[in-house]
Amino acid sequence: MTPTITAFAQSPDRGQGQARDMRVRWALEEVGQPYDVRLVSFDEMKQPPHLALHPFGQIPTYEKGDLALFESGAIVLHVAQSHPGLLPEDANAQARAVMWIFAALNTVEPPIVEWEQARYHEPDRPWHQARLSLLEKRICVRPEQLSRRLGAADWLDGTFSAGDLLMVTVLRRLEGSGMVEEHPNLARYVARGKGRPAYQHAFAAQLAVFTASQG
Amino acid sequence: MTPTITAFAQSPDRGQGQARDMRVRWALEEVGQPYDVRLVSFDEMKQPPHLALHPFGQIPTYEKGDLALFESGAIVLHVAQSHPGLLPEDANAQARAVMWIFAALNTVEPPIVEWEQARYHEPDRPWHQARLSLLEKRICVRPEQLSRRLGAADWLDGTFSAGDLLMVTVLRRLEGSGMVEEHPNLARYVARGKGRPAYQHAFAAQLAVFTASQG
């Protein structure tokens, strides 16, 4: 059975792959699972049919048979648990890969999202510059600690896992800020993730949606 | 084998159970797994021995035999997967319980943490009041959506699960703000969680650490 995911009909990032469907697409590509995509407008996301699927009115969602999920982290973990390729077989290594999923989404990402929100929603507030400096200070300690833990390794814990997949998508949000680039091993880590064929297929697929929406 | 977790030697919340070891203690109590606690000072958290265990220098951590984990969400999920009692047996229901873990930690909690940070770190900044209003507007949409989804049910999806455990601990961070209290079904949901014997044992255990530190 082919799962169906939802994605923005008009992604606010203009196809840069920052919307959270990218994470799910990438996971599905890694495990070789074809999928269908249903595009939803901002208006549709706030209407009862979509809210029945996703109570917080966001994307992505994932539907397969009787199962309907939201939360990109939960969907990626479910895909990883349902197919070989995104979690190690050893039980302890598997628990650590899941730990890196949570680390990406709960420790590294939240201050980055906060910084994006500040840049998007508050640029005309009198406090804007001072806030951005505070937020950047709070963000940048995480890439530094992560760089130290990664060291010379290719991936966070042994082979590539769903934890790396999510960490790379989170670090990509900092592209252009210099906060990843100042740690060469971390910059190479992100590049290594982006170089994977599955990433590239997923990226092309979400970009095609944006390109078509401009046609 | 008895697992060992870490917790604050001096919890900044003065034993109110808001530190993240509370989540792990509660999960371990729910499944009836005894545990040891190693207390760490703020200074120790930033030193190499603790950083080897937790690269971001936080608590809690979890050690059992060869396995060492950090991230409260990952630890609670691991406990839930290793013992009966915190995840339903049906595979789809299990995936949905995990989805609620991510919803609690990734969608509901981040703006709450941001609001706490603003109250803690920025009270003397000229923008403080205006920022708090903005943040409260961003937070309160989530309890409202969650209240709508919960409806008249006792728990988010069938029986009590690790998803409810984490959602209750996240909503507790709003205590006293009125943002949960204005949704009576959600207030009852939080009270239902806090009324569980396992919650109460976990709460008493973390409070005892704070009380002893004042002795």
Side-chain angles (χ1 to χ4, degrees), chain B residues 45-118:
Chain B
M45 286 167 59
K46 308 302 170 197
Q47 299 301 321
H50 189 74
L51 288 171
L53 202 53
H54 194 318
F56 303 114
Q58 299 177 317
I59 60 98
T61 57
Y62 172 97
E63 293 162 273
K64 188 174 180 182
D66 287 344
L67 178 63
L69 296 176
F70 59 92
E71 288 289 334
S72 56
I75 299 169
V76 169
L77 180 55
H78 174 72
V79 169
Q81 287 173 331
S82 314
H83 304 81
L86 281 172
L87 288 175
E89 285 189 20
D90 171 73
N92 284 358
Q94 196 166 121
R96 289 194 303 270
V98 172
M99 168 186 92
W100 285 110
I101 293 178
F102 282 95
L105 300 181
N106 288 106
T107 295
V108 182
E109 187 170 43
I112 299 176
V113 170
E114 193 51 36
W115 173 70
E116 289 172 353
Q117 295 262 359

Side-chain angles (χ1 to χ4, degrees), chain A residues 51-52 55-56 58 70-71 74 81 99 102-103 105-107 114 122 127 130-131 134 138 142 145 149, chain B residues 51-52 55-56 58 70-71 74 81 99 102-103 105-107 114 122 127 130-131 134 138 142 145 149:
Chain A
L51 287 171
F56 303 114
Q58 299 176 316
F70 60 92
E71 288 289 335
Q81 286 174 331
M99 168 186 91
F102 282 95
L105 300 181
N106 288 105
T107 295
E114 193 51 36
E122 306 174 12
W127 64 68
R131 275 281 304 165
L134 266 184
R138 260 174 57 205
R142 299 304 178 208
Q145 292 165 320
R149 167 57 66 108
Chain B
L51 288 171
F56 303 114
Q58 299 177 317
F70 59 92
E71 288 289 334
Q81 287 173 331
M99 168 186 92
F102 282 95
L105 300 181
N106 288 106
T107 295
E114 193 51 36
E122 305 174 11
W127 63 68
R131 275 281 303 163
L134 267 184
R138 261 176 55 206
R142 299 303 178 209
Q145 292 164 320
R149 167 57 66 106

